[in-house]
Structures are given as structure tokens and as C-alpha cells.
Amino acid sequence: MTSRARLADDAARLIALDWGTSALRAYLLGDDGVVLDERSEPWGIMQLPEGEFVAAFREVTGRWLAAAPELRALASGMVGSAQGWVEAPYCAAPAGVRELARSLVSVADEPLSIVPGVSQSGERPDVMRGEETQIVGVVERHPELAKDSLLVLPGTHSKWVHVREGRAERLTTFLTGELFAVLSTSSILGRFARDAANPPDAAAATDAFARGVLAARASAAGVTPLLFSVRALVLAGKLAAESSLEYLSGLLVGDELRCGLAAGEVPRALVGDAVLCARYTAAFGLFGIHGVPMVEHTAPAGLWAIAVHANLIRPTPRRVVA
Amino acid sequence: MTSRARLADDAARLIALDWGTSALRAYLLGDDGVVLDERSEPWGIMQLPEGEFVAAFREVTGRWLAAAPELRALASGMVGSAQGWVEAPYCAAPAGVRELARSLVSVADEPLSIVPGVSQSGERPDVMRGEETQIVGVVERHPELAKDSLLVLPGTHSKWVHVREGRAERLTTFLTGELFAVLSTSSILGRFARDAANPPDAAAATDAFARGVLAARASAAGVTPLLFSVRALVLAGKLAAESSLEYLSGLLVGDELRCGLAAGEVPRALVGDAVLCARYTAAFGLFGIHGVPMVEHTAPAGLWAIAVHANLIRPTPRRVVA
């Protein structure tokens, strides 16, 4: 066991951190970016008190760095925002692995660099942080998506990103996840579901979600005239109170798809959390779009590729022959 | 002074209560519904602990009832909702003063009745509570609006109501005010303005609001693809952080107008709070619609008219000649 553990330590090449608003996910990567170990903590930048970044970083990486002190760490996500630890100024789109690797920001006194986000200027300014690294991971693992493809990254802030020649070229952000969160917890639309004794069963939840998607799909003017129907349908006895938030989720996801698909381009991949991507897959099906592949866990692969381009990887040590 | 006070008490005919989610406004009405006295308390149904309705009612009406014990009170608004004091089941649209007066609900042990809300069934279920009484007040005071008109009642839940032959016939609710509240206080869109040292000056606020209205007007697909621009424009240096919520307000009001005006019908009146109506007037102007009159303080007139039809008015006493 000791020799195996030593082998694992020797093989460690990089610490990769996916450090977002709500969570910190840390990976110990070996040759070719293979995941040797991982750890997840609820230490997103909104959860950490100011000044706690150092402590969180040392706690989550301490054991790995103790075993291999020359390891470097690379982080992506909101940790590089103005509200994060050290601000990493946006890299202008189009941006891929080379542009990102050239623009890393080092954190003083720690063996850590941070990947910048990507900004789009012009008529429709937009930004992303964290997703640019996931996209690098997608392109690394699925080179067929590099040339010219539309990727959808569902989330608190869903991103629809056009990739061309391996670089994120254009993006649009939809506030879908955050709208759902604030409306369900803080508005009158969440009242019935909050007061319901039980959650809906799976079939009722699926039906209510689909009904919301179809209603949004049919509303060419947009979703806002439909929002109050989350409440009014329950009052009219036409929607079960406990299913009303599934219907709201369907309205919001359906509206995102209606807008995102308006230009006629079909997404080539759904990138992100499997449960959330499954919800989007169901919604795409209701728009007649089937078979969009899901790609998960792309942040470590993206961080590995950026680190390789930035020469952050610890050299392969000579193996100790026992 | 004593005789005058006695005269006022003698002249009192009805207590009218506009009792909504955030406030309780009480009026002592004399002949023809003239306002003799009024009082406003922050005792909306969401602010009052359960069971405090009796105490709030007695506190706000106590002095008036002590002087004229046979007075009756009539209330409209969310006090009659399932979350209120006593539920007054919805009256089906179309509904005007006669239908509402026939459907009052009495509160046990108190000299109080409650006006029901109005519900719309069919393809687009919708409801209102409180606005039906304001509309009765509008129609009483402006008979020219009774025959066939579109009224806009801005608010937490904006209502666009078609009135025909004096009755509310069709309605659409927009969540505009509540969306603004939850997004500005609880979402990332409010972050820059919350952190800003100072609010924008009046000219900057007006400009940012107008810019939002025009952006929403131009977005045929709806407002959701624009929401994140509240943040992205600030990051791009194209919108002052302290003006970003005025821009958001413009986006949301502009989207409401774009949807509400899609059928081609021009509103005949803006009903409600003067400050909020002025904001909508500015937005209508950006849609090329000018001169929509504002009508304020319609709840007491509506409550008076409903009370007359329901025979709740205290008879005119014989005047005491001094």
C-alpha cells in the first residue's frame, strides 16, 4: 500500500480547481490529465467569508501538496472574478486554449494560477467565467466539435456558445437557473409549492415540466405574459399546487430554448451536470430535437489542457524502482 | 370645533379599506363617498402575523367606530385571499359593480364585509384582487371609460384589463414589479447597483430607464435574452453600475408594454400610484403613445359604489341644528 501511495504521489502532475459561486471542486491529476483523486466542498465564492480563500485553498490542497510540494494548481471559475480571490481580467473572444494559457493570473504566495473568463464586445456584450475552461475540455475530448459547433451549457446562468476552430467565438447568457431560484424562493409563484405537503410524483413532475416547455414554445412574444399562469392555473384548478414549480421550470427552460433556437442552428452538445442536462434533453425533445449528446466533467480536462499550454505541469519524475 | 367634529361624525357613511399585500389604507367616507379622514399603516397581509387581522382592523377603525357605532366597513384586496383574513371566493369575469356587490363575504363578529376578486377562466386563466374595485372606481368617476376600454394598472402584479359595459371582461397579469424586486434584491443583476456608492442622478436614471425600454421594445423574442445585459453592459464599460437597476426597470416595463400592446389596442387610462404611472407614461412615450391619462385614488370610489349597491351605507342621519 505504501508503494502504491508513493506511486500515486509521484504520478501527480497538477491540481485542478473548478471554483465557482457555490462550490469548490478539486482534482489531483496525473499523466494525461487522468483524475487520481478528487474532493468537493461547499466553499463557493459566495459561501466563503472574505479573506477565507487562502484557508480554503490550503485545506483542500494540503494533503496533495504535502506529498508533492512542487505541484502547481490551476483554477477556473468565479474565483477569478472581481468578487473572487484575485481578479483575472477577461480574455476577449474568440478565445481558446492558447489565448487562455497566455492570460493566466498568478496568486501571490501560493502555487496557484487562475484562468480568465471570456468577454464578448460589440452590440451584445456578454461574459463567462468557468465555461471557457469547460469548452476547452470539450474540444480536447471531442475534436469533432472544435471546427464549428453550438454548445449549450445549462446552469444558473446558461450559456449558448458558438465554437469555431477550437475557440469560443460568440455567446449568449440566459438567466434561467437564477430566475427559477429567485422566483421559486422569493416570489408569489413559489408559494403554492412551498406550502404543498408533498412534492409531486415523478410522472406528475415530468408532465408539468413538459406542459411549461410547450406553453413557452408556443408563446412567440416571450415568457413574461405566461409567468403569472404558474399561480393562476393552480387557482383555476388546472394545475396541481405541488407541480407548479416544475411547470415554472418548464416555462423558463422552454423560453431559453425558443430564443436560443430562433436562429435555426441545432446544438451539437449539452455540457455540464447530468441531471440538469437530462432536463434540457427532455425539453429539446419537445422542440423536436433529439440525440444531442451530453458531455460531463469537462473542467479537469480543460484545466489540464490550459496548464500544458502554460507549462504549469510538473515534469514526469523518474520512477523509483523498488 | 365640537360641533364641526360632531357634524363630521354624523356625516360619516362608510369605512373603506384598501387592504393589500404590503399596506392597509383606511378611509372614512361621507355623503357621495367624499373622503372625510384617512389613515395608512404598513399592515399588509404579508406584514401581519397570522391572527392579527382583528387587532389591525380595530386599531385602524376604532376612533371612527367609537364616534359612529352603526358604521359598516368594506374592504378590498388581498385581505380576501386564501392568505388573508377571510377568503372571498373569486367572482367570474365579466364582473362589475353589481356582480361584486352580490358576492360580498361578511367577517364574523366584525362590522366588515370583503369584496371578492375576479377570475378569468378558459385558455388563459387569470385573477385579480383589489384591482376590480379600483376599476369600479374608475368607471364611476369616468363613465366615458365604461363602454369599451383597455386599462393598465401598474404594480407588483401589473394588470391589463379590458372593460366593456362597465364590467371587467378580460385581464392579463404581468409580474413586472415583483420580477424587478426579486431580481434587484436577490440576483446577480442587482449586485452592481447594491454595491454602488451613490444612486444615479435624475438624468442618468431617466436615460438608463429609456435605454432599457427601447432595448425591450426592439427584442421581438422577449426580454429573457436581454436580462444578463444588465450585468454584461456594466462589465463592458457601457452602462454605469449605479444606473443598472434603472436599465433593468426599463427592460421589464418595456417588455410588459411590448406584450400588452401587441394586439394593437391603445390603453385609455393608467390607474394607480402617481409615481409608478409616471414611469409607465414615459415608457408609453417611447412606444409612440402619448397622452394616456392617469387616474389615482380609485379604491375609495370603488368601495363606495359597491357598498351603495350592497346597501351597506349608513343612512343619512337627521342633521342636528345647533
Side-chain angles (χ1 to χ4, degrees):
Chain A
M1 293 300 283
T2 309
S3 65
R4 281 202 180 196
R6 178 136 38 105
L7 181 64
D9 292 340
D10 287 346
R13 300 283 174 270
L14 180 75
I15 294 170
L17 303 177
D18 174 8
W19 202 338
T21 303
S22 54
L24 165 56
R25 292 183 194 83
Y27 305 86
L28 182 68
L29 304 185
D31 284 331
D32 299 324
V34 65
V35 176
L36 303 175
D37 194 6
E38 57 182 289
R39 187 169 164 184
S40 182
E41 300 289 347
W43 298 337
I45 71 156
M46 301 301 281
Q47 272 67 44
L48 283 177
E50 201 171 344
E52 293 295 304
F53 292 107
V54 177
F57 174 72
R58 292 185 179 171
E59 169 61 28
V60 87
T61 61
R63 198 164 49 86
W64 299 334
L65 284 170
E70 321 85 10
L71 275 181
R72 297 278 308 175
L74 182 62
S76 63
M78 290 296 280
V79 68
S81 70
Q83 292 82 37
W85 186 354
V86 172
E87 187 170 359
Y90 291 105
C91 192
V97 64
R98 280 182 303 277
E99 291 79 9
L100 295 169
R102 275 201 300 265
S103 309
L104 303 186
V105 169
S106 296
V107 176
D109 303 326
E110 304 294 334
L112 172 66
S113 299
I114 298 181
V115 179
V118 169
S119 67
Q120 163 174 285
S121 56
E123 277 284 288
R124 280 271 183 120
D126 212 321
V127 293
M128 58 182 169
R129 261 194 205 281
E131 294 88 355
E132 74 296 323
T133 300
Q134 292 177 269
I135 290 168
V136 170
V138 171
V139 167
E140 286 290 316
R141 282 164 45 186
H142 301 276
E144 74 279 11
L145 295 174
K147 188 159 178 55
D148 188 1
S149 58
L150 173 60
L151 306 180
V152 176
L153 297 87
T156 304
H157 298 163
S158 281
K159 307 286 179 182
W160 290 55
V161 184
H162 287 264
V163 172
R164 194 181 300 266
E165 307 300 347
R167 302 191 302 171
E169 193 174 73
R170 275 180 298 127
L171 71 141
T172 302
T173 299
F174 293 90
L175 218 65
T176 310
E178 188 163 16
L179 265 178
F180 180 76
V182 298
L183 289 175
S184 57
T185 58
S186 308
S187 89
I188 198 164
L189 301 187
R191 176 83 58 82
F192 284 127
R194 291 197 296 270
D195 292 349
N198 297 303
D201 63 40
T206 301
D207 285 353
F209 177 77
R211 188 169 162 195
V213 171
L214 292 170
R217 179 187 163 184
S219 183
V223 77
T224 55
L226 296 179
L227 288 178
F228 195 68
S229 70
V230 173
R231 180 172 175 81
L233 285 168
V234 175
L235 290 169
K238 295 182 172 180
L239 177 65
E242 66 270 19
S243 297
S244 54
L245 287 181
E246 290 291 332
Y247 172 72
L248 173 62
S249 173
L251 284 180
L252 296 173
V253 172
D255 186 58
E256 178 184 333
L257 266 55
R258 185 186 57 79
C259 294
L261 295 168
E265 189 173 354
V266 173
R268 297 281 304 281
L270 271 162
V271 181
D273 170 70
V275 172
L276 189 57
C277 285
R279 183 169 281 260
Y280 274 65
T281 297
F284 274 119
L286 294 166
F287 276 75
I289 295 173
H290 303 277
V292 179
M294 291 191 224
V295 190
E296 272 192 285
H297 307 305
T298 51
L303 287 161
W304 174 264
I306 296 167
V308 166
H309 276 78
N311 293 313
L312 289 184
I313 307 292
R314 181 189 178 218
T316 304
R318 283 185 303 141
R319 296 294 165 101
V320 178
V321 178
Chain B
M1 292 300 284
T2 308
S3 65
R4 281 201 178 196
R6 175 130 47 98
L7 181 63
D9 293 338
D10 288 345
R13 299 285 174 270
L14 180 75
I15 295 170
L17 304 177
D18 174 8
W19 201 339
T21 302
S22 54
L24 165 56
R25 291 183 195 82
Y27 304 87
L28 182 68
L29 304 184
D31 286 331
D32 300 323
V34 67
V35 176
L36 304 175
D37 195 5
E38 59 182 286
R39 188 170 165 185
S40 182
E41 300 290 347
W43 297 338
I45 70 155
M46 301 300 281
Q47 272 67 44
L48 282 178
E50 203 172 341
E52 294 294 306
F53 292 108
V54 177
F57 174 72
R58 290 186 180 170
E59 169 60 27
V60 87
T61 61
R63 197 165 52 84
W64 297 336
L65 283 170
E70 322 85 10
L71 274 181
R72 297 278 308 175
L74 183 61
S76 63
M78 289 296 282
V79 68
S81 70
Q83 291 82 36
W85 186 354
V86 172
E87 187 170 358
Y90 290 105
C91 193
V97 65
R98 281 183 302 277
E99 291 79 9
L100 295 169
R102 276 202 299 264
S103 309
L104 303 186
V105 168
S106 296
V107 176
D109 304 326
E110 304 294 335
L112 172 66
S113 300
I114 298 180
V115 179
V118 169
S119 66
Q120 163 173 287
S121 56
E123 278 284 288
R124 280 273 183 120
D126 213 321
V127 294
M128 58 182 168
R129 263 195 203 280
E131 293 88 354
E132 74 296 323
T133 300
Q134 292 177 269
I135 290 168
V136 170
V138 171
V139 166
E140 286 290 315
R141 282 165 44 187
H142 300 277
E144 73 280 10
L145 296 174
K147 187 157 179 57
D148 188 1
S149 58
L150 173 60
L151 306 179
V152 175
L153 298 88
T156 304
H157 298 164
S158 282
K159 308 286 179 182
W160 289 55
V161 184
H162 288 264
V163 172
R164 195 181 299 266
E165 307 300 345
R167 302 191 301 171
E169 193 174 72
R170 275 180 299 128
L171 70 140
T172 302
T173 299
F174 293 90
L175 217 66
T176 310
E178 188 164 17
L179 265 178
F180 179 76
V182 298
L183 289 174
S184 58
T185 59
S186 307
S187 89
I188 198 163
L189 301 187
R191 176 82 60 82
F192 285 127
R194 291 197 296 271
D195 291 350
N198 297 302
D201 63 39
T206 301
D207 285 353
F209 177 77
R211 189 170 160 193
V213 171
L214 292 171
R217 179 188 163 185
S219 182
V223 78
T224 54
L226 296 179
L227 288 177
F228 194 68
S229 70
V230 173
R231 181 171 174 81
L233 285 168
V234 175
L235 289 169
K238 294 182 172 180
L239 176 65
E242 66 270 19
S243 297
S244 54
L245 286 181
E246 290 292 331
Y247 172 71
L248 173 62
S249 173
L251 284 181
L252 296 173
V253 172
D255 186 58
E256 177 184 333
L257 266 54
R258 186 186 57 80
C259 293
L261 295 169
E265 189 173 355
V266 174
R268 297 282 303 281
L270 271 162
V271 181
D273 170 70
V275 172
L276 189 56
C277 285
R279 184 169 280 261
Y280 274 66
T281 297
F284 274 119
L286 294 166
F287 277 75
I289 295 174
H290 302 277
V292 180
M294 291 192 225
V295 190
E296 271 192 287
H297 306 306
T298 50
L303 287 161
W304 174 264
I306 295 168
V308 167
H309 276 79
N311 293 312
L312 289 183
I313 307 293
R314 180 187 178 219
T316 305
R318 283 186 304 141
R319 296 294 167 101
V320 179
V321 178

